[in-house]
Coordinates of all heavy atoms in Angstrom, one line a residue:
V41 N -10.8 -12.2 8.0 CA -12.2 -12.7 7.9 C -12.5 -13.4 6.7 O -12.5 -12.8 5.7 CB -13.0 -11.6 8.4 CG1 -14.5 -12.1 8.6 CG2 -12.6 -10.8 9.6
G42 N -12.9 -14.7 6.9 CA -13.3 -15.4 5.7 C -12.1 -16.0 4.9 O -11.1 -16.0 5.4
D43 N -12.5 -16.5 3.7 CA -11.4 -17.1 3.0 C -11.3 -16.7 1.5 O -10.9 -17.4 0.6 CB -11.5 -18.7 3.1 CG -12.8 -19.2 2.5 OD1 -13.6 -18.3 2.1 OD2 -13.0 -20.4 2.5
D44 N -11.4 -15.4 1.3 CA -11.1 -14.9 0.1 C -9.6 -15.1 -0.4 O -8.7 -14.9 0.4 CB -11.3 -13.4 0.0 CG -11.0 -12.6 -1.2 OD1 -11.6 -12.9 -2.2 OD2 -10.0 -11.9 -1.2
G45 N -9.5 -15.6 -1.7 CA -8.3 -16.1 -2.0 C -7.1 -15.1 -2.1 O -6.0 -15.1 -1.6
A46 N -7.5 -13.9 -2.6 CA -6.5 -12.8 -2.7 C -6.1 -12.4 -1.3 O -4.9 -12.2 -1.0 CB -7.1 -11.6 -3.6
S47 N -7.1 -12.2 -0.5 CA -6.8 -11.6 0.9 C -5.9 -12.6 1.6 O -4.9 -12.2 2.4 CB -8.1 -11.5 1.7 OG -8.8 -10.3 1.2
R48 N -6.2 -13.9 1.4 CA -5.4 -15.0 2.1 C -3.9 -14.9 1.6 O -3.0 -14.9 2.4 CB -5.9 -16.4 1.8 CG -5.7 -17.3 3.0 CD -6.4 -18.7 2.8 NE -7.6 -18.7 1.9 CZ -7.6 -19.5 0.9 NH1 -6.5 -20.4 0.6 NH2 -8.6 -19.6 0.0
T49 N -3.7 -14.6 0.3 CA -2.4 -14.5 -0.2 C -1.6 -13.3 0.3 O -0.6 -13.5 0.7 CB -2.5 -14.4 -1.8 OG1 -3.3 -15.5 -2.3 CG2 -1.1 -14.4 -2.4
Y50 N -2.3 -12.2 0.4 CA -1.8 -10.9 1.0 C -1.3 -11.2 2.5 O -0.2 -10.8 2.9 CB -2.6 -9.7 0.8 CG -3.0 -9.4 -0.7 CD1 -4.2 -8.8 -0.9 CD2 -2.2 -9.7 -1.7 CE1 -4.7 -8.6 -2.1 CE2 -2.5 -9.3 -3.0 CZ -3.8 -8.8 -3.3 OH -4.1 -8.5 -4.5
V51 N -2.2 -11.7 3.2 CA -2.0 -11.8 4.6 C -0.8 -12.9 4.8 O 0.1 -12.6 5.6 CB -3.2 -12.3 5.3 CG1 -2.9 -12.7 6.8 CG2 -4.3 -11.3 5.4
N52 N -0.8 -13.9 4.1 CA 0.3 -14.9 4.2 C 1.6 -14.3 3.8 O 2.7 -14.5 4.5 CB 0.1 -16.2 3.3 CG -1.1 -17.1 3.8 OD1 -1.3 -17.0 5.0 ND2 -1.6 -17.8 3.0
A53 N 1.6 -13.3 2.8 CA 2.9 -12.7 2.5 C 3.3 -11.8 3.6 O 4.5 -11.6 3.8 CB 2.6 -11.9 1.2
K54 N 2.4 -11.1 4.3 CA 2.7 -10.3 5.4 C 3.3 -11.2 6.5 O 4.4 -10.7 7.0 CB 1.5 -9.5 6.0 CG 1.0 -8.5 4.8 CD -0.3 -7.9 5.1 CE -0.8 -7.0 4.0 NZ -2.2 -6.5 4.1
V55 N 2.8 -12.3 6.8 CA 3.4 -13.2 7.9 C 4.8 -13.5 7.5 O 5.8 -13.6 8.3 CB 2.6 -14.4 8.1 CG1 3.2 -15.4 9.0 CG2 1.1 -13.9 8.6
K56 N 5.1 -14.0 6.1 CA 6.3 -14.4 5.7 C 7.3 -13.3 5.9 O 8.4 -13.5 6.2 CB 6.1 -14.9 4.3 CG 6.9 -16.1 4.0 CD 6.7 -16.6 2.6 CE 7.8 -16.4 1.6 NZ 7.5 -16.5 0.2
A57 N 6.9 -12.1 5.5 CA 7.8 -10.9 5.6 C 8.2 -10.6 7.1 O 9.3 -10.3 7.2 CB 7.1 -9.8 4.9
C58 N 7.3 -10.9 7.9 CA 7.7 -10.8 9.4 C 8.8 -11.7 9.7 O 9.8 -11.4 10.4 CB 6.5 -11.0 10.3 SG 5.3 -9.7 10.3
E59 N 8.6 -12.9 9.3 CA 9.6 -14.0 9.7 C 10.9 -13.5 9.1 O 12.1 -13.6 9.7 CB 9.2 -15.3 9.0 CG 8.2 -16.1 9.8 CD 7.6 -17.2 9.0 OE1 8.3 -17.7 8.0 OE2 6.4 -17.7 9.4
R60 N 11.0 -13.1 7.9 CA 12.2 -12.7 7.2 C 13.0 -11.7 7.9 O 14.2 -11.6 8.0 CB 11.9 -12.2 5.7 CG 12.9 -11.2 5.2 CD 13.3 -11.5 3.9 NE 14.4 -10.5 3.6 CZ 14.5 -9.9 2.4 NH1 13.6 -10.2 1.4 NH2 15.5 -9.0 2.3
V61 N 12.3 -10.6 8.5 CA 12.9 -9.6 9.2 C 13.2 -9.9 10.7 O 13.7 -8.9 11.4 CB 12.3 -8.1 9.0 CG1 12.3 -7.8 7.5 CG2 10.9 -8.1 9.6
G62 N 12.6 -10.9 11.1 CA 12.9 -11.2 12.6 C 11.7 -10.8 13.5 O 11.8 -10.7 14.8
F63 N 10.7 -10.2 13.0 CA 9.4 -9.9 13.8 C 8.7 -11.0 14.2 O 8.6 -12.1 13.6 CB 8.5 -9.0 12.9 CG 8.8 -7.6 12.7 CD1 10.0 -7.1 13.0 CD2 7.9 -6.8 12.0 CE1 10.4 -5.8 12.6 CE2 8.2 -5.5 11.7 CZ 9.4 -5.0 11.9
G64 N 8.0 -10.8 15.3 CA 7.0 -11.9 15.7 C 5.6 -11.6 14.9 O 5.6 -10.5 14.4
S65 N 5.0 -12.7 14.7 CA 3.7 -12.4 14.0 C 2.6 -13.3 14.4 O 2.9 -14.4 14.9 CB 3.9 -12.6 12.4 OG 4.0 -14.0 12.1
T66 N 1.4 -12.8 14.3 CA 0.2 -13.5 14.8 C -0.9 -13.4 13.7 O -1.2 -12.2 13.2 CB -0.3 -13.0 16.2 OG1 0.7 -13.2 17.0 CG2 -1.6 -13.7 16.5
L67 N -1.4 -14.5 13.2 CA -2.5 -14.4 12.2 C -3.8 -14.9 13.0 O -3.9 -16.1 13.5 CB -2.3 -15.4 11.0 CG -3.4 -15.5 10.0 CD1 -3.8 -14.1 9.5 CD2 -2.8 -16.3 8.9
V68 N -4.7 -14.1 13.1 CA -6.2 -14.4 13.6 C -7.1 -14.7 12.5 O -7.5 -13.7 11.8 CB -6.6 -13.1 14.6 CG1 -7.9 -13.5 15.2 CG2 -5.6 -12.7 15.5
K69 N -7.5 -15.9 12.3 CA -8.3 -16.3 11.3 C -9.7 -16.4 11.8 O -10.0 -17.1 12.8 CB -7.9 -17.6 10.6 CG -6.9 -17.6 9.6 CD -6.7 -18.9 8.9 CE -5.5 -18.9 8.2 NZ -5.1 -20.3 7.9
L70 N -10.6 -15.7 11.2 CA -12.1 -15.7 11.7 C -13.0 -16.2 10.5 O -12.8 -15.9 9.4 CB -12.5 -14.3 12.3 CG -11.6 -13.8 13.3 CD1 -11.8 -12.3 13.7 CD2 -11.7 -14.7 14.6
D71 N -14.1 -16.8 10.9 CA -15.0 -17.3 9.9 C -15.7 -16.1 9.2 O -16.0 -15.0 9.8 CB -16.1 -18.1 10.6 CG -15.6 -19.5 11.0 OD1 -14.7 -19.9 10.4 OD2 -16.2 -20.2 11.8
A72 N -16.2 -16.3 8.0 CA -16.8 -15.2 7.2 C -18.1 -14.7 7.8 O -18.6 -13.7 7.7 CB -17.1 -15.8 5.9
D73 N -18.8 -15.7 8.6 CA -20.1 -15.3 9.1 C -19.9 -14.8 10.7 O -20.9 -14.6 11.4 CB -21.0 -16.6 9.1 CG -20.5 -17.6 10.0 OD1 -19.4 -17.6 10.6 OD2 -21.2 -18.8 10.0
I74 N -18.7 -14.4 11.1 CA -18.5 -13.8 12.3 C -19.5 -12.5 12.5 O -19.6 -11.8 11.4 CB -17.2 -13.4 12.7 CG1 -17.0 -13.1 14.2 CG2 -16.6 -12.4 11.8 CD1 -15.5 -13.0 14.6
S75 N -20.0 -12.3 13.7 CA -20.9 -11.0 13.8 C -19.9 -9.9 13.9 O -18.7 -10.1 14.3 CB -21.7 -11.2 15.0 OG -21.0 -11.2 16.2
E76 N -20.4 -8.7 13.7 CA -19.7 -7.5 13.8 C -19.2 -7.3 15.4 O -17.9 -7.0 15.6 CB -20.5 -6.3 13.4 CG -19.8 -5.0 13.4 CD -20.7 -3.8 12.9 OE1 -20.7 -3.6 11.7 OE2 -21.2 -3.1 13.9
A77 N -20.1 -7.7 16.2 CA -19.7 -7.5 17.6 C -18.6 -8.4 18.0 O -17.7 -8.1 18.8 CB -21.0 -7.8 18.5
D78 N -18.6 -9.7 17.5 CA -17.5 -10.6 17.9 C -16.2 -10.2 17.2 O -15.2 -10.2 17.8 CB -17.8 -12.1 17.4 CG -19.0 -12.6 18.3 OD1 -19.3 -12.1 19.4 OD2 -19.5 -13.8 18.0
L79 N -16.3 -9.6 16.0 CA -15.0 -9.1 15.3 C -14.5 -7.9 16.3 O -13.3 -7.8 16.5 CB -15.3 -8.7 14.0 CG -14.1 -8.0 13.3 CD1 -12.9 -8.9 13.1 CD2 -14.5 -7.7 11.9
L80 N -15.4 -7.0 16.7 CA -15.0 -5.8 17.5 C -14.2 -6.3 18.8 O -13.3 -5.7 19.4 CB -16.1 -5.0 17.8 CG -16.6 -4.2 16.5 CD1 -17.9 -3.4 16.8 CD2 -15.5 -3.1 16.1
T81 N -14.8 -7.5 19.3 CA -14.1 -8.1 20.6 C -12.7 -8.5 20.2 O -11.8 -8.2 21.0 CB -15.1 -9.2 21.1 OG1 -16.3 -8.8 21.3 CG2 -14.5 -9.8 22.3
E82 N -12.6 -9.1 19.0 CA -11.2 -9.6 18.7 C -10.2 -8.3 18.6 O -9.1 -8.5 18.9 CB -11.2 -10.3 17.3 CG -12.0 -11.7 17.4 CD -11.4 -12.7 18.3 OE1 -10.0 -12.6 18.5 OE2 -12.0 -13.5 18.9
V83 N -10.8 -7.3 18.0 CA -10.0 -6.0 17.8 C -9.6 -5.5 19.1 O -8.4 -5.1 19.4 CB -10.9 -5.0 17.0 CG1 -10.2 -3.7 17.2 CG2 -11.0 -5.3 15.5
Q84 N -10.6 -5.5 20.1 CA -10.3 -5.0 21.5 C -9.2 -5.9 22.2 O -8.2 -5.4 22.8 CB -11.5 -5.1 22.4 CG -12.5 -3.9 22.0 CD -11.8 -2.5 22.0 OE1 -10.8 -2.3 22.7 NE2 -12.2 -1.7 21.2
K85 N -9.2 -7.2 21.7 CA -8.2 -8.1 22.5 C -6.8 -7.6 22.0 O -5.9 -7.7 22.7 CB -8.5 -9.6 22.0 CG -9.6 -10.3 22.8 CD -9.4 -11.8 22.6 CE -10.8 -12.4 22.5 NZ -10.8 -13.7 21.9
L86 N -6.7 -7.4 20.6 CA -5.4 -7.0 20.1 C -5.0 -5.6 20.7 O -3.8 -5.4 21.0 CB -5.4 -6.9 18.6 CG -5.5 -8.4 17.9 CD1 -5.5 -8.3 16.4 CD2 -4.3 -9.2 18.3
N87 N -6.0 -4.6 20.8 CA -5.7 -3.3 21.5 C -5.1 -3.5 22.8 O -4.2 -2.9 23.2 CB -6.8 -2.6 21.6 CG -7.5 -2.0 20.3 OD1 -6.7 -2.0 19.3 ND2 -8.7 -1.5 20.2
N88 N -5.5 -4.5 23.6 CA -5.2 -4.7 25.0 C -4.0 -5.6 25.1 O -3.6 -5.8 26.3 CB -6.3 -5.2 25.9 CG -7.5 -4.2 25.9 OD1 -7.2 -3.0 25.8 ND2 -8.7 -4.7 25.9
N89 N -3.5 -6.2 24.2 CA -2.4 -7.3 24.2 C -1.1 -6.6 24.1 O -0.7 -6.0 23.0 CB -2.7 -8.3 23.1 CG -1.6 -9.4 23.2 OD1 -0.6 -9.2 23.9 ND2 -1.8 -10.6 22.6
P90 N -0.3 -6.5 25.2 CA 1.0 -5.6 25.2 C 2.1 -6.4 24.2 O 2.9 -5.6 23.8 CB 1.4 -5.5 26.6 CG 0.7 -6.7 27.3 CD -0.6 -7.0 26.5
E91 N 1.8 -7.5 23.9 CA 2.9 -8.2 23.1 C 2.8 -7.7 21.5 O 3.7 -7.6 20.9 CB 2.7 -9.7 23.0 CG 3.5 -10.5 22.1 CD 5.0 -10.3 22.3 OE1 5.4 -9.9 23.4 OE2 5.8 -10.6 21.3
I92 N 1.6 -7.3 21.2 CA 1.3 -6.9 19.8 C 1.6 -5.4 19.7 O 0.8 -4.6 20.3 CB -0.3 -7.1 19.4 CG1 -0.8 -8.5 19.7 CG2 -0.4 -6.8 17.9 CD1 -0.1 -9.6 18.8
D93 N 2.6 -5.0 18.8 CA 2.8 -3.6 18.6 C 2.0 -2.9 17.7 O 1.7 -1.8 17.8 CB 4.3 -3.5 18.2 CG 5.2 -4.1 19.3 OD1 5.3 -3.6 20.3 OD2 5.8 -5.2 18.9
G94 N 1.6 -3.7 16.5 CA 0.7 -3.1 15.6 C 0.0 -4.3 14.9 O 0.4 -5.4 14.9
Y95 N -1.2 -3.9 14.3 CA -2.0 -4.8 13.7 C -2.8 -4.3 12.5 O -3.1 -3.1 12.5 CB -2.8 -5.8 14.5 CG -3.9 -5.1 15.2 CD1 -5.3 -5.3 14.7 CD2 -3.8 -4.3 16.4 CE1 -6.4 -4.6 15.2 CE2 -4.9 -3.7 17.0 CZ -6.0 -3.9 16.4 OH -7.1 -3.1 17.0
I96 N -3.4 -5.2 11.7 CA -4.1 -4.8 10.5 C -5.4 -5.7 10.5 O -5.3 -6.8 11.0 CB -3.4 -4.8 9.2 CG1 -3.2 -6.3 8.8 CG2 -2.1 -4.1 9.2 CD1 -3.1 -6.6 7.3
V97 N -6.4 -5.1 10.1 CA -7.6 -6.0 9.7 C -7.6 -6.0 8.1 O -7.8 -4.9 7.6 CB -8.8 -5.4 10.2 CG1 -10.1 -6.3 9.9 CG2 -8.8 -5.3 11.8
Q98 N -7.4 -7.0 7.5 CA -7.3 -7.2 6.0 C -8.8 -7.0 5.4 O -9.8 -7.3 5.9 CB -6.9 -8.6 5.6 CG -6.8 -8.8 4.2 CD -5.6 -7.9 3.6 OE1 -4.6 -7.8 4.3 NE2 -5.6 -7.6 2.3

Side-chain angles (χ1 to χ4, degrees):
V41 182
D43 60 356
D44 173 68
S47 288
R48 212 172 343 122
T49 305
Y50 299 146
V51 167
N52 287 338
K54 289 167 188 177
V55 169
K56 221 173 104 192
C58 283
E59 281 166 20
R60 148 131 192 227
V61 299
F63 284 9
S65 70
T66 297
L67 175 54
V68 181
K69 279 190 189 169
L70 302 169
D71 288 339
D73 62 2
I74 188 171
S75 70
E76 186 180 277
D78 287 349
L79 176 56
L80 289 169
T81 302
E82 294 295 330
V83 164
Q84 286 309 329
K85 276 193 213 162
L86 292 179
N87 285 345
N88 296 329
N89 183 343
E91 174 59 20
I92 308 293
D93 301 292
Y95 69 97
I96 65 151
V97 179
Q98 185 66 29

